[in-house]
Structures are given as C-alpha cells and as structure tokens.
Amino acid sequence: MKKSIQLLIRAIILFAFISLGNTVFATIKLPSIFGSNMVLQRNSEVSIWGTANSKSNVSVTTSWNNQTYEVKSDKKGNWKIKVSTPEAGGPYTIKISDGQELVLDNVLIGEVWVCSGQSNMEWSLKRTGHPIEDPTNNTILKSANPDIRLFTVEKSRSLNPENDLKGNWNVCGPATSTNFSATAYYFGKMLQETIGVPIGLISSNWGGTRVEAWIDEEGLREYDVGVLEDQAKGPEHNVSTTLFNAMINPMLGFNIAGVIWYQGESNITEADVYAERLELMVRRWRELWGVGEFPFYYCQIAPYEYGGQRYGGANSAFLREAQLEAYKKIPNSGMVSLMDTGEELDIHPNNKRTAGERLAYFALSEVYGVEGIYPYAPELDKIDFQDSKAILTFKNIPTGLTSYTKNIEHFEIAGEDRIFYPAHARVIGRGRNRKQIEVSVEKVPNPVAVRYAFKNFVMGSFYNWYGIPASSFRTDDWDDAKTVNTKE
C-alpha cells in the first residue's frame, strides 16, 4: 500500500514537470490575421507580431529574400518586428521560431484591402445576381483564382479593445467565395484582373450597424462624450465602439493598401451628424493603423423606400447628402453613387457587381494609375436662375452629360413659398459642352431652389458618359419645404 502511494506521488510529480515543460516551451502564437494563404502588402516594411516565451529570442525568416530578422520578446512574451516585402509574387513561406518553429506557407505578396460596413457590404455572393443576365451559379463557379485570398472576420463585440479576432485566410474559389462579401469580391476581382497582382480582401462587417459602433472610444470621447452613453446597454453590436474594439482593433498595424466601406442605412435618422462622424472614423482609423493616409472609398447608400417606425419617417436623401458632404471632408477618399441600382422594396440591392466595380474604378484610377477610366460622379457646380428657368452647371463630366436617350426625371423646382413641383428637365449644349441641365415648370414662374431625386426611392436618370450616375442633391437648406406630387 505504501509503495502504491509512493508510485502515485511520483506520477503526479512527473505530470507536473511535463505540464510545466509544455508551458515553458510553448510554441509561437500569432494573431489570426497572420496565417497560411495570407497576402502581405507589397513593397513595404510589414509588421508581424505575436507572443512567445518571456524574454526569448524570436527569429522570422522570409523565403522571398532568404533573410532572417530577430527580436527579443518582452516580459509578457509579446514581440513585434518589421520585415521587408518585395514586388508582388509568391507563393512564399515564413518561418517563425523561438526554439520551436511555426511555418506559414502559400503566402502571397500583393495588395491588401479592408472591406467593412454593414449588411450591404456583408451581403454574400450567393445572395446576388440575376437568373438570366448574371446567374449566381456562373459567378461562383468562375470565382476560382489562386491570386485572390479571402479573410472574413467573425462577428464579435466588446466594450474593451481586443488583441485578436477570429477568422482564416482562404484561397478564392467556389467553396470560399459563395459566403464572402459580394461587393468586396467584385472589387477584388476587378483589381486582380486589371493590375495582375495578388489581392488580399479582409471582410469585417455586421448588418444593421451605426457608424458609431466602428469608432474607437478615444475618438468619440474627444468628439462628444455623450455619444458613449449607449455603452450602458452593454456590449451590444450597435453600441458605440463595440465593433471597432472587437473587429478592427486586433488588426491595426497589419499593412494595407486601403479601405472600402458600405454603410449608412442605420444612420438615416442622424443625417445632420453623419458626415462629421464618418470623417472622424476615417481619421481615427488612419491615425491608429499607422500605415499612412490610406485611400478610403465608400458607397453612397442606394435608394430604397424606407418607412415605418424603425426609420422615423426619415428621408434617406438627407443621408445621401451627408455622404456627399463627407467626400469633401475626407482627404484621399472617393464616393460611389448607386442612384441607379436601388430597389424600392429591398434595402439590399441585388446588384452588388456595380457597387464593387465602381469602387474598383476609384482604386484603379487613383492608387494604381490606370489611365482612360473615370470614377467620379457628375456633381453640381453652380446654379443660375434666368427668368422662369434654372440652369444647372455640372462638373466631373469630361465628355458631357447623358440620359442614354431616356427622359431626365426626378427634378423639382420651388419658389419663395418653398413648395416644390415636379419639373421638366433637359440637357442643353452639344457634345463635350453638354454640361448643363435646364429645369422649369409653369407653376413656378420665379424659381429659387431645385432638388434632384431627393426622395427615399428613385432611379437615377442622368450620367456622365463613363456611366456614373449623379447623386441626389438640393440647392436649398429648408427644413419646412413641401412637395406637390402632381406633374404638370
């Protein structure tokens, strides 16, 4: 009996030493954003970080240059190092060791973009397309491309900044693209096909979320501490800072080329503050990311017949107006107009190809220097009133305006009484000089204000010749305007 007890004690001691050994010689651990199949930003000093044993020597060896980089972890085992990346290429391997080696394989060097927002960015490829013109099965079957890599951040929320998130890098193909962001996929596909380098897409989205959930606490506190009052509700997905903390903060410092964004539907009742809050979000992301003033391209929300108590009777045209204002506030940004892709009874337009490709036009033109394309939407430059007519002059129309042989619709005109009447509109001028639209209606002999498509749901009716539709707009700032719906 005594011998059995001694044997049991020895076994317990041995187990304790084995457990201690496993703790002392634990392998390198990396955040989920680093992994096999990933894309690293080309021509950069790329940050790689993780944990190891306390005060241990960590080496990182990159196969593209056969160079070894060394760093010492701190007391808590944290380490961070920068490695040089070449021009695009791969696949490569990265070996990381603190005595035990971790290998990342099938790594590509190329362009990395973060794709974020609410449900219209989250909307998966399998939920888009047209049964005849753009069959979903065909798109998914043709999505196989080893030079496109996809990373979807799993939904998570937190009242405190997190150090890691959940997700994996995957090679783009039917099994992985089907559930990936459709807008992001079409964006990345056009980039890859045009510039011919590997593309990494990081999708971090949550449907039905306000922009405040994607801004860090320090930024909101400096802006208006009152915005943080909703944190008393706990870590709900729409509470201020919660999505930034859990779904953006863990990848800050991961080198990227830029960000695309599709969000705003959940802020339509706060149009008066949306532009400055979106500008705040972008500014804070850039400050915290530490990779420079990266490009930020975003989609203006598409027309949809908002209604019911959820939206408080809001006119989403005011939010589209705020997004247009944000474009003027945010340096190195671009706004995609989707005035021709909305659906009256579905807040999630089926056509995500157009959204992704119009975002790509901005990146290809402004970041990658592709000539011959034009991403900008026609924008009102000035308005003149001549007798009973309003003459609107537009910019961003290098080859003129067009309605593609259809009538120009959705213009309204008002006099001093602030009552808007549906108006007649026509493009005036010839060829490249077709830069003006004349608007008039007999019921308003002395017009002072014009609105275009300034309703929840309309279909845009005029473009520049590059196929980009004008945003909705107004020339007044009235809160008490009325509209007469009967057209003369």
Side-chain angles (χ1 to χ4, degrees):
M1 184 70 177
K2 186 175 180 181
K3 187 175 182 179
S4 298
I5 293 174
Q6 290 175 338
L7 289 173
L8 178 60
I9 292 172
R10 289 177 182 175
I12 292 173
I13 293 172
L14 178 62
F15 178 80
F17 273 111
I18 292 173
S19 299
L20 179 61
N22 287 340
T23 300
V24 172
F25 300 104
T27 58
I28 290 283
K29 292 183 179 179
L30 299 174
S32 297
I33 198 65
F34 297 102
S36 295
N37 303 318
M38 70 178 173
V39 178
L40 292 179
Q41 183 63 32
R42 61 175 171 165
N43 297 322
S44 300
E45 293 294 310
V46 169
S47 295
I48 299 177
W49 64 90
T51 59
N53 296 320
S54 175
K55 295 185 177 181
S56 62
N57 294 317
V58 177
S59 65
V60 178
T61 303
T62 52
S63 70
W64 54 82
N65 56 6
N66 293 318
Q67 186 169 340
T68 297
Y69 306 81
E70 295 183 344
V71 67
K72 197 176 189 69
S73 64
D74 64 18
K75 291 181 180 180
K76 295 183 178 180
N78 298 310
W79 58 270
K80 186 174 185 178
I81 198 168
K82 288 184 179 291
V83 303
S84 299
T85 57
E87 182 54 57
Y92 298 110
T93 60
I94 301 175
K95 297 179 180 180
I96 307 172
S97 176
D98 68 343
Q100 293 193 33
E101 189 173 76
L102 172 67
V103 179
L104 306 181
D105 56 22
N106 200 24
V107 174
L108 299 181
I109 307 296
E111 295 290 292
V112 181
W113 286 80
V114 170
C115 317
S116 190
Q118 59 179 106
S119 57
N120 270 310
M121 182 62 86
E122 180 184 352
W123 214 246
S124 64
L125 195 59
K126 68 184 179 186
R127 303 174 75 179
T128 63
H130 185 278
I132 305 300
E133 299 172 3
D134 192 14
T136 303
N137 277 330
N138 287 6
T139 300
I140 292 171
L141 284 171
K142 295 176 182 178
S143 67
N145 187 335
D147 284 331
I148 298 178
R149 304 296 172 84
L150 312 175
F151 187 104
T152 298
V153 177
E154 291 187 21
K155 292 179 179 177
S156 184
R157 56 204 175 192
S158 175
L159 286 175
N160 299 300
E162 300 291 339
N163 294 320
D164 201 3
L165 42 72
K166 293 183 179 180
N168 296 288
W169 284 98
N170 293 294
V171 178
C172 185
T176 56
S177 69
T178 186
N179 291 312
F180 194 72
S181 161
T183 297
Y185 168 76
Y186 285 119
F187 170 82
K189 179 176 184 290
M190 178 159 280
L191 289 193
Q192 203 286 314
E193 291 175 348
T194 305
I195 62 177
V197 305
I199 302 295
L201 303 171
I202 303 170
S203 176
S204 183
N205 312 284
W206 196 316
T209 53
R210 299 163 63 242
V211 69
E212 292 82 359
W214 297 95
I215 306 174
D216 71 294
E217 182 169 342
E218 181 179 346
L220 283 177
R221 192 174 296 281
E222 292 178 0
Y223 166 76
D224 179 0
V225 69
V227 180
L228 295 166
E229 291 177 359
D230 63 354
Q231 290 188 344
K233 299 177 183 178
E236 297 180 8
H237 73 278
N238 224 350
V239 165
S240 297
T241 77
T242 53
L243 300 189
F244 170 85
N245 290 336
M247 299 177 68
I248 297 296
N249 189 75
M251 59 176 159
L252 293 178
F254 188 86
N255 289 51
I256 61 173
V259 170
I260 60 173
W261 175 259
Y262 193 162
Q263 185 275 338
E265 296 88 346
S266 291
N267 284 98
I268 67 165
T269 60
E270 302 159 302
D272 58 329
V273 295
Y274 184 82
E276 57 189 35
R277 291 184 184 178
L278 182 62
E279 185 278 331
L280 171 66
M281 186 199 82
V282 177
R283 176 162 44 85
R284 291 296 296 164
W285 282 23
R286 286 171 171 169
E287 291 171 358
L288 294 168
W289 223 291
V291 292
E293 194 176 79
F294 54 73
F296 180 85
Y297 304 130
Y298 62 98
C299 290
Q300 187 182 51
I301 61 171
Y304 161 71
E305 193 53 69
Y306 292 85
Q309 293 182 347
R310 178 180 179 183
Y311 300 108
N315 180 354
S316 59
F318 288 98
L319 195 282
R320 294 197 298 269
E321 179 182 60
Q323 291 178 312
L324 185 58
E325 180 186 349
Y327 170 48
K328 300 169 185 177
K329 288 177 175 286
I330 302 171
N332 198 17
S333 70
M335 188 200 77
V336 166
S337 170
L338 297 176
M339 290 300 297
D340 55 345
T341 68
E343 296 183 21
E344 183 175 7
L345 302 179
D346 195 340
I347 198 171
H348 306 112
N350 198 45
N351 179 4
K352 293 295 187 288
R353 182 188 296 271
T354 296
E357 291 183 349
R358 285 179 181 167
L359 286 164
Y361 299 156
F362 270 105
L364 290 169
S365 176
E366 296 192 346
V367 178
Y368 303 113
V370 176
E371 297 181 353
I373 63 173
Y374 196 80
Y376 314 102
E379 186 178 339
L380 181 64
D381 191 23
K382 66 176 182 175
I383 182 169
D384 297 304
F385 296 100
Q386 301 175 5
D387 299 324
S388 62
K389 300 175 181 178
I391 307 298
L392 288 73
T393 303
F394 291 84
K395 58 184 178 180
N396 297 343
I397 45 171
T399 54
L401 292 171
T402 181
S403 60
Y404 293 103
T405 74
K406 297 181 180 180
N407 292 331
I408 295 181
E409 300 178 325
H410 312 306
F411 273 95
E412 299 171 310
I413 198 165
E416 294 288 354
D417 60 2
R418 302 190 177 191
I419 299 176
F420 281 92
Y421 292 84
H424 304 287
R426 68 184 184 95
V427 177
I428 56 177
R430 300 183 65 179
R432 290 176 177 269
N433 292 320
R434 288 167 58 88
K435 297 183 177 182
Q436 295 181 316
I437 292 180
E438 177 188 276
V439 183
S440 65
V441 66
E442 285 189 10
K443 284 186 169 63
V444 185
N446 298 298
V448 299
V450 172
R451 290 183 175 185
Y452 166 69
F454 215 74
K455 290 179 169 57
N456 275 320
F457 179 75
V458 291
M459 290 298 286
S461 63
F462 74 98
Y463 301 71
N464 58 30
W465 274 105
Y466 287 87
I468 309 296
S471 167
S472 52
F473 64 85
R474 60 175 177 156
T475 65
D476 64 276
D477 59 359
W478 304 333
D479 294 326
D480 57 349
K482 297 179 181 180
T483 298
V484 174
N485 293 318
T486 301
K487 187 166 185 178
E488 186 179 68

